[in-house]
Amino acid sequence: MLYRLGGLLALSVLLAGPARAQLITDPARALAARDTLLQQAAQLRLRAEQTSPFFKTNSHGRGRRRVVVQGISGQNSGALPATGVRQTQWTPDNVVWRHVTCYRRNGRLLERYRLSMGHKTLLRERRLNGNVIWLSIPVAYSNVMGTAIRHRGLFLRTGYLTLDNDQYVLPRPLL
C-alpha cells in the first residue's frame, strides 16, 4: 500500500513540473497585465478584420438568434489579378477568423471569437454583453499580419490572469 502511495506521489511531482512562482497580488501590476493582454487581443482582431478582403455570414434574414461571420486574411487572400476576378485561395499563411454572436431570449448577448493560422490558434475570446469573460492567447513572439504578438496569456472573469508565465490576481471591486 505504501509503495503505491509513494509511486503516486512521485508521479504527481513529475507531472507538476518546476515550482511555480507566487501569485502577484499587486493591483497596479495586475491591472497593467490585464490591459496589456486585452490591448493585444484588440489589435489582433482589428488587424485580422482590416486585412480581410471579404467575409461571409449566415444572417441573410432578420431575426436570427445565431449569427456567424467568417473571414480569411493574409498575403494572398483577395488580390485582384489583371482579369479583375478575385481569386481567393486558402494557404497556411492565411489567418482565418470566426465571430459567432448569439442573441439569447433573456436579452443577453454572447459572442465568441476565434483567430487561427494553419492549425495554430492565435486568439480565442468570449464576451457576455460586451464584457470579456474569457480570453486566451496561446502563442507568443511571432509576427502575424504585420502585428507582433509579444505576450501570451489567459484571462478569466473570476479575477485571475496569466501573462508570460506570471500569475496575477485582479483586485475585486468594493460593493
Side-chain angles (χ1 to χ4, degrees), residues 36-92:
T36 299
L37 194 64
L38 292 177
Q39 182 182 21
Q40 182 171 306
Q43 286 176 352
L44 282 172
R45 283 183 67 158
L46 181 66
R47 186 69 177 152
E49 292 171 359
Q50 282 181 344
T51 59
S52 183
F54 70 96
F55 60 89
K56 65 179 183 173
T57 182
N58 72 338
S59 65
H60 298 295
R62 297 179 72 187
R64 286 201 179 235
R65 296 225 176 252
R66 185 173 179 266
V67 178
V68 180
V69 182
Q70 299 178 27
I72 298 177
S73 320
Q75 318 302 336
N76 302 328
S77 61
L80 287 175
T83 61
V85 178
R86 181 169 292 169
Q87 301 289 329
T88 303
Q89 296 177 350
W90 183 84
T91 63

Side-chain angles (χ1 to χ4, degrees), residues 14-140:
L14 287 175
L15 292 178
R20 296 262 181 189
Q22 289 183 337
L23 290 174
I24 299 172
T25 57
D26 181 25
R29 288 179 63 191
L31 291 174
R34 181 200 62 187
D35 293 343
T36 299
L37 194 64
L38 292 177
Q39 182 182 21
Q40 182 171 306
Q43 286 176 352
L44 282 172
R45 283 183 67 158
L46 181 66
R47 186 69 177 152
E49 292 171 359
Q50 282 181 344
T51 59
S52 183
F54 70 96
F55 60 89
K56 65 179 183 173
T57 182
N58 72 338
S59 65
H60 298 295
R62 297 179 72 187
R64 286 201 179 235
R65 296 225 176 252
R66 185 173 179 266
V67 178
V68 180
V69 182
Q70 299 178 27
I72 298 177
S73 320
Q75 318 302 336
N76 302 328
S77 61
L80 287 175
T83 61
V85 178
R86 181 169 292 169
Q87 301 289 329
T88 303
Q89 296 177 350
W90 183 84
T91 63
D93 295 336
N94 289 5
V95 174
V96 179
W97 56 273
R98 180 179 175 156
H99 186 186
V100 179
T101 306
C102 297
Y103 299 94
R104 302 288 183 198
R105 292 177 192 243
N106 60 4
R108 291 185 178 177
L109 177 68
L110 180 66
E111 296 176 89
R112 292 184 310 237
Y113 191 84
R114 181 180 178 144
L115 186 68
S116 59
M117 182 171 71
H119 295 289
K120 271 198 285 190
T121 300
L122 302 175
L123 169 68
R124 291 181 66 197
E125 181 178 16
R126 290 187 184 163
R127 291 178 176 260
L128 181 65
N129 293 335
N131 298 323
V132 177
I133 59 173
W134 185 81
L135 173 71
S136 172
I137 302 177
V139 178

